[in-house]
Amino acid sequence: MATPSPIAVRRIQRELSDITKNPIPGISAYPVDDDLLRWDGKVVGSSDSPYKGGSFKFEMTFPPEFPFKAPAVKFTTRIYHPGINEEGSICVPILRDEWKPTVSIATVLSVIQEKVNNPSPDDPYEPEIAAQLKSEEAKFMATAKEWTKKYAS
């Protein structure tokens, strides 16, 4: 297990305190045991998305170099989504090439929540699902709802 830098520890502790005091409705994430670098999270499908009623779990792993390197996010609950692949990786630029050390954990959580609840065929991890969303939206919605019921209820 890698040892986080003192900068990472201070930053993560401060931001954990912030999101504990000001939680974001519909999404949460907290350290696993006493490991500040490993968090478990959960995003709830919003009432206007095909994921309504679902609770999707994810893991967020911070590199020891945080905030200079982005955390990695991996969904552990299966989800039928153009921006989340079969392995659970989520396709959001803020966790890749648009990462900046000033990005807060709360911002990351908000972006994850937005991505989950607003599936878009743009910048997909799953091109086939994105194509279905574009050309057969009703079929996409039905499958997304079915998977939500099957895996996230």
Side-chain angles (χ1 to χ4, degrees), residues 82 119-121 128-138 140-141:
S120 166
E128 298 80 23
I129 297 174
Q132 184 186 52
L133 175 56
K134 266 186 182 171
S135 63
E136 302 175 87
E137 188 177 354
F140 164 80
M141 297 295 261

Side-chain angles (χ1 to χ4, degrees), residues 37-51:
L37 298 182
R38 213 167 54 98
W39 290 28
D40 281 343
K42 179 178 77 172
V43 61
V44 176
S46 67
S47 61
D48 58 348
S49 85
Y51 309 105

Side-chain angles (χ1 to χ4, degrees), residues 30-122:
Y30 301 95
V32 175
D33 302 321
D34 290 329
D35 187 350
L36 279 180
L37 298 182
R38 213 167 54 98
W39 290 28
D40 281 343
K42 179 178 77 172
V43 61
V44 176
S46 67
S47 61
D48 58 348
S49 85
Y51 309 105
K52 176 183 174 181
S55 180
F56 301 90
K57 294 179 181 175
F58 62 91
E59 297 169 342
M60 191 158 54
T61 309
F62 294 89
E65 304 85 7
F66 181 82
F68 303 105
K69 286 191 177 175
V73 175
K74 182 179 192 275
F75 276 78
T76 56
T77 302
R78 289 187 70 182
I79 182 170
Y80 192 77
H81 196 290
I84 301 170
N85 70 14
E86 209 171 279
E87 289 79 40
S89 297
I90 185 168
C91 185
V92 287
I94 200 169
L95 295 175
R96 297 186 328 241
D97 49 332
E98 292 180 15
W99 178 257
K100 292 180 179 67
T102 54
V103 174
S104 70
I105 295 171
T107 298
V108 170
L109 294 175
S110 294
V111 167
I112 292 168
Q113 182 180 41
E114 174 70 19
K115 181 75 165 191
V116 167
N117 284 308
N118 297 291
S120 166
D122 305 325

